[in-house]
Amino acid sequence: MAKNLVIVESPTKAKTIEKYLGADYKVLASVGHIRDLPRSDFAVDVDGERVALRYEVPKASSKVVSTIKREAKSAERVFLATDLDREGEAIAWHVAEVAGIATDLDNRVVFSEITRDAILAAFQSPRRIDGSLVDAQQARRAVDRIVGYRLSPTLWRNVSSGISAGRVQSVALRLIVDREDEIRRFVPQEYWTVTGAFDRQGYPVEAELHAFGGRRVVTPKKMGEYLEKGTDGSYLVVGDQATADLVTAGARAVGSWTVTNVTRRETTQGPKPPFTTSTLQQDAGNRLGFSAQRTMRVAQQLYEGINLGSEGQVGLITYMRTDSVNLSPTAVAEVTQVVGEQYGERYQLAKPRGFTTKSKGAQEAHEAIRPTSVRRLPATVAARLDSDQRALYDLIWRRTMATQMAVAVFDTLRADVVGTSPEGTELVFRASGRVRKFDGYLRAWGGEGETGGELPDLDDDQVLALADVRADQHFTEPPPRYNQGSLIKLLEDEGIGRPSTYASIIQVLLNREYVKLEGRAFRPTPLGEVVTAYLKQHFAEVVDVSFTARMEDELDEIARGEHRWGPMVSDFLHEVDDWISERKPERPRIPIDGTQCPDCASAMQKVWSGKSRQWFASCERFPDCKGSLPLDEYGNVTTVEALQPDDSVPCPVCGKGTIRREGRYGPFYGCQDYPTCKGIVNVERQVGFDCPKCKQGRLTERMSRYGKPFYGCNRYPDCDFAMWTQPLAQHCPTCDGPLKPPRKNAKDPVAVCAHCEEKVHVESDPPRAESYEVVPGRLEVAAAAT
């Protein structure tokens, strides 16, 4: 019987560690948090500066807790080996509290990689649970609870039911909404670039117009910066075709072109630091197309251990939640040696390269994310990994190798080609180029730089001939929408959230349908916009970047033991309660610039309908004036004609054509005269079955109020037939009803009819019924037309 008990979070991690520790150790998994705050209760008790959180053990964790308690009683010693960050420290404390394990003993074990040497070394130097880290985690949980449970009810009353505010995700949402507002306000500006094609004794040389008449040519964006500085007089924007024609005509009239200011240089380019959590998420998104959540899920698998056959279960990367860009001396020495073996001595560094973190509020001085051994080449472990694991491990391995490799070397050239028109106007074209001379770290990392070719052979005082000149029209573009990588980078730069929270912040915004992904870019939904508008108008502090960053700093100070967590939580609770009592929040009405009421010519406002979860444009004099205008799905004023009402789906109230929109429970068709007429036609997703109970309706895919899909009769509430699993494509041979799928991996798979309960033998993993869209009103119109 094992003398020692070890508690970790996951079964995979438990399996890997138990192999290293031997027969005297039994390793159990808590399967994440074993207790939490109750969902139905605020559970934050404040008495002056003293704060207590009321936790409960969820039903799903009760069996795990019983096992840990039983094993802890019989063990001579219990070790808490959960993750090394605040979340892991809190889990260790919760386990100790629930199981009656002493917290004043040296029983806390931490490690940043799951390898034999790292595990054995960690168990040689256990420490006590860090109370400051636990306090910081409790404080974070409390302030998140305060925002969610105090402010969300005001959203229910004034905006729409079932929505919520969050301390960090509301700021992230505000950043996305603000960027969308920038894009809407953006007015494209025209500008032209002029390119000269010169001839040097039969060799072509291309150059861009750099200056005209003593003024440097710039883009409209740059000109805006110079206008702010008051130095715009030295610059020129070729802003229209007339100016472009003037420039090209002047260039063609120049009699002789001379090369001047030739500059040749050798430049170098070094690698980026090794991966932190945020940079791994950014690069995995940009290079592999992974979401932040997918990246962290795969990284967790690589960290906790992969079965490599002869080596057994081995952790392939270090801990994946970190701010640090440090590499241990041992790791650097191994990387340097493998660089020489894989690429040769010229790629090795004479001394190690170090990096410093630039992120605000970096929490702990852990290592960066790296392979536990770079000797495990991606090719040698590929057969043991799935496609996602292979891709992410390869990315981490190449980034780590690149950090200790020689710089890439480039030859660069810059030269001006100058001529004067007959009118005395000087024109300067600039030629430039860069050619890679030595790939250095790019040999491992790849990309980023020209791979070959030759630079133009130009020297001062050479005379060139103008072979051609062309002008190309451009328009400035709005700032891009945030993708997962750029949003995470912004959150990190602003000090919002921490490595362990970036993925969950994004997932919450998507799950609550505050934003949606268009390609890889975030676009706020109308619901996300109204939540942001409401919070900015009535509780601006909650969506203020600096306010949230300061709170993150306070949590960091608690983690370092510099402040107590009780006063911070108590002060914040009283502050939020004061906001709610002193302010009179109401549904946001947002002015629409440049738009008049069609009935009385007063200003118009965007108003939110909590029932349909859509914006509509209303006269500011409502209810005295009921003038309205249609809005598109993103809340922009438009016309009914532009929205293209579908006359084949008539409004069930007034008979006019309807407009397809997205609602809380999926797509629907709403009357083109909304909000005057509120008629709607819900879009159904049918699965090819008549209702087996009433024989009149059709089985449709629907969504419960809790977001869980189910399949029910479309005549509800007149018929209440429903099933919670996707039916098989095969019909019941007895009643033609839907069949519930068999249990997974069953030796003799049997499906059961959801109506008559007939048992039907089916093949393993039988196909499910596929849903398809049906618009009831459209079907009626089609039938009438025939």
Side-chain angles (χ1 to χ4, degrees):
M1 182 177 177
K3 298 178 182 178
N4 304 295
L5 178 66
V6 181
I7 311 296
V8 297
E9 293 99 332
S10 80
T12 303
K13 187 175 174 183
K15 181 180 177 182
T16 308
I17 290 173
E18 193 167 60
K19 180 191 71 171
Y20 297 141
L21 293 176
D24 284 341
Y25 291 82
K26 182 172 186 177
V27 185
L28 293 179
S30 69
V31 196
H33 283 276
I34 63 168
R35 66 177 186 175
D36 200 357
L37 299 176
R39 294 185 63 182
S40 58
D41 187 9
F42 182 51
V44 180
D45 297 328
V46 176
D47 181 11
E49 292 188 347
R50 296 182 61 187
V51 177
L53 305 186
R54 282 181 278 113
Y55 296 102
E56 67 175 13
V57 176
K59 193 173 181 180
S61 298
S62 58
K63 188 175 180 180
V64 172
V65 169
S66 298
T67 302
I68 291 174
K69 283 182 176 180
R70 182 178 66 250
E71 295 293 338
K73 284 181 181 178
S74 60
E76 293 182 12
R77 192 169 181 187
V78 181
F79 292 95
L80 304 167
T82 50
D83 288 343
L84 72 168
D85 58 6
R86 294 179 194 172
E87 197 81 14
E89 204 75 18
I91 292 174
W93 177 74
H94 282 299
V95 169
E97 289 281 305
V98 169
I101 300 167
T103 58
D104 58 352
L105 301 176
D106 291 337
N107 57 6
R108 175 78 171 107
V109 177
V110 294
F111 39 83
S112 63
E113 59 183 83
I114 303 177
T115 58
R116 180 182 298 277
D117 290 347
I119 296 302
L120 295 180
F123 275 82
Q124 291 299 312
S125 54
R127 60 167 173 80
R128 294 185 181 184
I129 289 177
D130 188 330
S132 295
L133 291 180
V134 175
D135 288 348
Q137 183 60 27
Q138 289 203 95
R140 178 182 293 278
R141 197 75 181 86
V143 295
D144 288 349
R145 192 77 161 188
I146 290 166
V147 172
Y149 277 60
R150 288 294 207 252
L151 294 188
S152 294
T154 74
L155 279 163
W156 305 339
R157 291 192 295 269
N158 297 297
V159 179
S160 183
S161 62
I163 61 178
S164 60
R167 185 183 62 86
V168 178
Q169 61 262 27
S170 292
V171 182
L173 177 60
R174 187 247 173 97
L175 295 171
I176 295 171
V177 171
D178 284 353
R179 175 55 56 91
E180 195 67 24
D181 288 340
E182 283 185 69
I183 293 170
R184 286 179 182 147
R185 292 193 302 267
F186 181 81
V187 179
Q189 290 180 270
E190 179 184 7
Y191 71 101
W192 293 68
T193 55
V194 180
T195 306
F198 296 90
D199 179 77
R200 184 192 63 80
Q201 299 176 351
Y203 292 94
V205 176
E206 270 209 351
E208 296 286 328
L209 180 68
H210 180 66
F212 182 77
R215 299 169 69 189
R216 183 179 166 187
V217 176
V218 295
T219 63
K221 182 179 179 180
K222 277 290 183 185
M223 180 61 87
E225 296 174 7
Y226 296 132
L227 275 168
E228 290 181 3
K229 297 176 182 177
T231 59
D232 53 295
S234 302
Y235 300 93
L236 169 71
V237 173
V238 182
D240 52 39
Q241 186 166 1
T243 307
D245 290 343
L246 176 68
V247 172
T248 55
R252 291 190 179 99
V254 172
S256 176
W257 295 91
T258 305
V259 177
T260 65
N261 301 324
V262 175
T263 304
R264 295 180 184 275
R265 288 192 306 149
E266 183 179 273
T267 60
T268 61
Q269 178 178 301
K272 294 178 180 178
F275 282 131
T276 62
T277 303
S278 66
T279 55
L280 177 63
Q281 290 171 342
Q282 291 166 44
D283 267 36
N286 295 333
R287 289 181 170 236
L288 306 178
F290 285 10
S291 69
Q293 190 176 46
R294 182 179 176 187
T295 299
M296 296 309 291
R297 182 176 65 249
V298 177
Q300 182 101 20
Q301 295 164 1
L302 295 174
Y303 167 70
E304 291 183 344
I306 301 293
N307 189 340
L308 296 183
S310 59
E311 281 193 82
Q313 195 91 358
V314 179
L316 292 184
I317 66 169
T318 54
Y319 191 56
M320 63 284 159
R321 294 186 182 93
T322 177
D323 302 292
S324 175
V325 291
N326 295 326
L327 295 177
S328 71
T330 304
V332 170
E334 185 186 56
V335 171
T336 302
Q337 191 172 5
V338 175
V339 166
E341 294 169 2
Q342 292 293 312
Y343 306 116
E345 289 185 14
R346 65 190 301 229
Y347 289 88
Q348 289 179 306
L349 295 177
K351 63 177 183 177
R353 179 186 286 119
F355 299 91
T356 56
T357 184
K358 295 181 180 178
S359 65
K360 289 184 180 179
Q363 284 185 20
E364 295 95 1
H366 308 317
E367 274 198 84
I369 303 169
R370 61 165 176 84
T372 52
S373 173
V374 292
R375 291 197 175 279
R376 295 191 187 96
L377 307 182
T380 63
V381 299
R384 295 285 178 172
L385 306 179
D386 64 30
S387 58
D388 281 3
Q389 292 167 347
R390 280 197 299 274
L392 195 65
Y393 182 73
D394 178 71
L395 189 72
I396 294 168
W397 186 90
R398 290 189 291 109
R399 178 67 160 249
T400 305
M401 291 288 286
T403 63
Q404 300 303 315
M405 292 176 69
V407 296
V409 182
F410 298 86
D411 282 335
T412 63
L413 167 79
R414 191 179 74 184
D416 292 340
V417 184
V418 182
T420 304
S421 70
E423 292 80 18
T425 303
E426 183 183 72
L427 291 88
V428 180
F429 285 80
R430 175 160 288 178
S432 60
R434 185 173 85 149
V435 173
R436 196 165 71 198
K437 187 177 180 181
F438 173 59
D439 55 3
Y441 78 93
L442 296 174
R443 177 80 178 272
W445 185 236
E448 300 184 18
E450 298 76 2
T451 57
E454 295 182 356
L455 292 173
D457 185 13
L458 297 177
D459 293 306
D460 284 333
D461 300 326
Q462 280 183 334
V463 177
L464 305 184
L466 180 67
D468 189 25
V469 62
R470 73 174 189 274
D472 297 308
Q473 185 185 39
H474 308 275
F475 290 92
T476 54
E477 295 185 351
R481 293 187 176 93
Y482 294 115
N483 58 28
Q484 298 210 29
S486 59
L487 180 62
I488 288 170
K489 184 177 187 306
L490 180 62
L491 292 174
E492 183 181 39
D493 290 345
E494 295 290 352
I496 305 299
R498 289 298 181 259
S500 60
T501 63
Y502 297 138
S504 62
I505 290 169
I506 290 171
Q507 203 56 45
V508 165
L509 296 180
L510 289 168
N511 290 345
R512 291 181 178 168
E513 297 183 349
Y514 292 161
V515 301
K516 65 179 182 179
L517 281 170
E518 291 191 354
R520 292 186 184 179
F522 292 114
R523 188 165 189 171
T525 63
L527 182 61
E529 289 190 307
V530 73
V531 168
T532 298
Y534 175 83
L535 293 175
K536 285 173 71 173
Q537 186 173 341
H538 300 295
F539 304 103
E541 297 88 345
V542 174
V543 289
D544 181 76
V545 171
S546 59
F547 179 87
T548 306
R550 283 197 304 275
M551 182 163 284
E552 294 287 354
D553 291 339
E554 288 184 54
L555 292 171
D556 290 342
E557 290 166 359
I558 293 169
R560 293 193 295 267
E562 297 171 7
H563 297 293
R564 291 184 299 124
W565 73 290
M568 180 261 201
V569 172
S570 176
D571 290 347
F572 184 63
L573 175 61
H574 293 315
E575 187 175 12
V576 172
D577 285 344
D578 287 344
W579 296 344
I580 295 170
S581 63
E582 293 171 1
R583 303 170 189 180
K584 305 298 179 185
E586 58 185 19
R587 185 168 298 177
R589 300 178 68 91
I590 303 174
I592 303 174
D593 295 335
T595 304
Q596 292 184 334
C597 173
D599 293 351
C600 71
S602 296
M604 299 292 286
Q605 297 174 326
K606 278 171 60 174
V607 182
W608 178 255
S609 167
K611 185 176 181 180
S612 69
R613 294 198 169 190
Q614 296 289 324
W615 290 107
F616 64 94
S618 169
C619 179
E620 70 172 2
R621 295 179 55 244
F622 178 87
D624 295 331
C625 175
K626 293 183 171 56
S628 66
L629 288 171
L631 301 176
D632 64 20
E633 61 176 316
Y634 295 109
N636 300 314
V637 174
T638 184
T639 62
V640 169
E641 292 73 24
L643 292 174
Q644 299 178 342
D646 191 339
D647 293 330
S648 71
V649 186
C651 171
V653 177
C654 69
K656 291 184 179 180
T658 54
I659 297 166
R660 186 182 176 99
R661 297 187 183 276
E662 291 292 327
R664 180 179 183 183
Y665 297 106
F668 68 94
Y669 285 78
C671 183
Q672 62 178 277
D673 282 350
Y674 179 83
T676 303
C677 176
K678 294 182 172 63
I680 64 169
V681 176
N682 287 314
V683 175
E684 296 179 357
R685 293 203 66 83
Q686 298 186 5
V687 289
F689 288 86
D690 291 328
C691 175
K693 184 174 182 179
C694 71
K695 310 295 185 184
Q696 300 177 46
R698 296 283 289 173
L699 204 61
T700 60
E701 182 181 270
R702 299 167 62 188
M703 192 72 69
S704 75
R705 60 188 295 187
Y706 302 108
K708 185 177 180 181
F710 70 98
Y711 300 83
C713 181
N714 63 356
R715 293 183 62 246
Y716 179 84
D718 296 327
C719 176
D720 62 358
F721 176 81
M723 57 187 295
W724 290 96
T725 54
Q726 185 178 359
L728 300 185
Q730 178 181 342
H731 290 231
C732 173
T734 301
C735 70
D736 204 40
L739 295 175
K740 300 177 186 177
R743 289 185 297 106
K744 283 186 177 181
N745 303 320
K747 291 183 179 180
D748 183 20
V750 175
V752 179
C753 178
H755 178 56
C756 71
E757 298 187 352
E758 174 80 14
K759 294 182 179 180
V760 181
H761 290 274
V762 294
E763 63 187 72
S764 178
D765 194 21
R768 306 293 181 96
E770 294 185 5
S771 63
Y772 52 90
E773 186 173 290
V774 174
V775 183
R778 178 171 291 150
L779 292 176
E780 292 169 13
V781 170
T786 57

